[in-house]
């Protein structure tokens, strides 16, 4: 089944109809803030594919990235500047994953997280910043970890791009407080070196904590 709202196409199974309107209302309300943040109103076609099972989602993930998805993956965005797609696990099966204890509000934020990635790719014309900043802006604008104020890992662990996402939220929150918005956008389109940014922001955190 399919719904089209402006430039957004949603592909879904009938079972998703139970929660789809609520999910899309959240997306349409959130996209205004996201567009304003990046300073663009994209006309590019954006496809959101709601996948019925974790097994099927994992198959699509492997076909795109050539490695296995972790048990935590319930949504992802292939990087392709010619086609903008989001794959999101259906909420019906989301409840059967390691995220089973999370609420529908958390699920909605997962969609927004992936939507931010898409807008970042459109904004930067297919370029994207290093992982901590790439995930940082997505967690920040989706409001996934608003109670995370402090980076609790080392610079090396941050740069490896394999730590708790709360650290990415805290990192990007510090970036927005340490740089003017014009420079934040330059960081997101890679005109400012993300490695240097992280080094500077960690110094700021030391002075605070």
């Amino acid at each position: 089944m399919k719904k089209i709202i402006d430039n957004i196409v949603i592909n879904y199974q009938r079972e998703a109809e139970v929660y789809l309107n609520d999910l899309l209302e959240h997306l349409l309300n959130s996209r205004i803030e996201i567009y304003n943040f990046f300073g663009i109103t994209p006309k590019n076609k954006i496809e959101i594919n709601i996948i019925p099972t974790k097994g099927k989602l994992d198959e699509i993930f492997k076909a795109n990235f050539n490695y296995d998805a972790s048990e935590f993956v319930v949504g992802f965005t292939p990087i392709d500047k010619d086609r903008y797609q989001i794959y999101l696990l259906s909420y019906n099966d989301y409840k059967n994953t390691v995220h089973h204890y999370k609420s529908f509000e958390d699920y909605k934020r997962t969609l927004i997280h992936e939507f931010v990635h898409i807008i970042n790719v459109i904004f930067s014309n297919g370029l994207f910043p290093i992982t901590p900043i790439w995930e940082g802006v997505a967690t920040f604008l989706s409001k996934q970890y608003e109670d995370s104020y402090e980076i609790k890992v080392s610079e090396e662990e941050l740069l490896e791009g394999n730590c708790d996402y709360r650290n990415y939220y805290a990192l990007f929150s510090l970036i927005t407080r340490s740089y003017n918005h014009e420079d934040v956008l330059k960081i997101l389109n890679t005109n400012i070196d993300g490695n240097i940014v992280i080094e500077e922001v960690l110094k700021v955190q030391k002075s605070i904590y």
Side-chain angles (χ1 to χ4, degrees):
M1 302 181 75
K2 180 180 293 189
K3 270 195 177 190
I4 301 174
I5 304 172
D6 301 329
N7 61 319
I8 300 172
V9 178
I10 306 97
N11 299 306
Y12 63 98
Q13 305 293 320
R14 187 177 298 277
E15 63 182 19
E17 288 184 330
V18 177
Y19 59 84
L20 190 64
N21 286 341
D22 194 1
L23 184 67
L24 294 182
E25 181 181 4
H26 185 66
L27 173 63
L28 296 178
N29 290 335
S30 299
R31 71 175 175 170
I32 298 167
E33 180 184 353
I34 295 165
Y35 291 169
N36 288 340
F37 183 90
F38 283 97
I40 61 172
T41 304
K43 303 300 181 187
N44 316 66
K45 178 182 174 183
I46 298 171
E47 294 179 66
I48 299 171
N49 304 290
I50 299 179
I51 308 303
T53 66
K54 172 70 166 130
K56 183 62 178 173
L57 185 79
D58 288 351
E59 284 179 25
I60 300 168
F61 182 97
K62 188 164 187 176
N64 276 276
F65 297 108
N66 204 30
Y67 62 89
D68 292 331
S70 81
E71 62 182 344
F72 296 99
V73 172
V74 289
F76 65 90
T77 305
I79 306 305
D80 183 345
K81 68 177 183 178
D82 297 317
R83 190 176 185 188
Y84 304 105
Q85 290 188 297
I86 293 169
Y87 291 93
L88 180 72
L89 179 63
S90 170
Y91 187 61
N92 299 75
D93 205 36
Y94 178 84
K95 295 177 289 187
N96 299 322
T97 70
V98 293
H99 302 284
H100 61 88
Y101 61 93
K102 293 185 177 179
S103 67
F104 185 62
E105 292 302 311
D106 292 310
Y107 177 74
K108 290 191 288 187
R109 291 185 189 108
T110 300
L111 172 58
I112 303 308
H113 179 115
E114 300 304 331
F115 190 78
V116 172
H117 283 327
I118 290 286
I119 303 308
N120 196 158
V121 171
I122 294 171
F123 165 75
S124 60
N125 195 30
L127 301 173
F128 54 96
I130 58 176
T131 296
I133 295 171
W134 168 254
E135 297 297 351
V137 66
T139 54
F140 185 77
L141 291 179
S142 61
K143 301 176 174 62
Q144 284 178 297
Y145 305 107
E146 290 185 295
D147 59 345
S148 301
Y149 306 108
E150 185 180 356
I151 301 164
K152 296 186 176 179
V153 294
S154 67
E155 180 178 349
E156 183 180 359
E157 288 170 310
L158 262 182
L159 291 172
E160 283 175 358
N162 188 26
C163 58
D164 191 309
Y165 276 39
R166 288 173 177 79
N167 294 291
Y168 301 143
Y169 180 97
L171 168 69
F172 200 80
S173 178
L174 270 171
I175 288 173
T176 61
R177 287 178 277 146
S178 304
Y179 291 82
N180 63 49
H181 192 66
E182 184 180 345
D183 283 343
V184 170
L185 294 179
K186 288 178 181 176
I187 293 166
L188 291 171
N189 69 14
T190 73
N191 283 330
I192 294 179
D193 187 340
N195 293 282
I196 294 171
V197 170
I198 288 175
E199 185 180 335
E200 291 178 348
V201 165
L202 286 173
K203 288 177 185 173
V204 170
Q205 176 171 275
K206 267 186 186 175
S207 70
I208 296 172
Y209 297 101

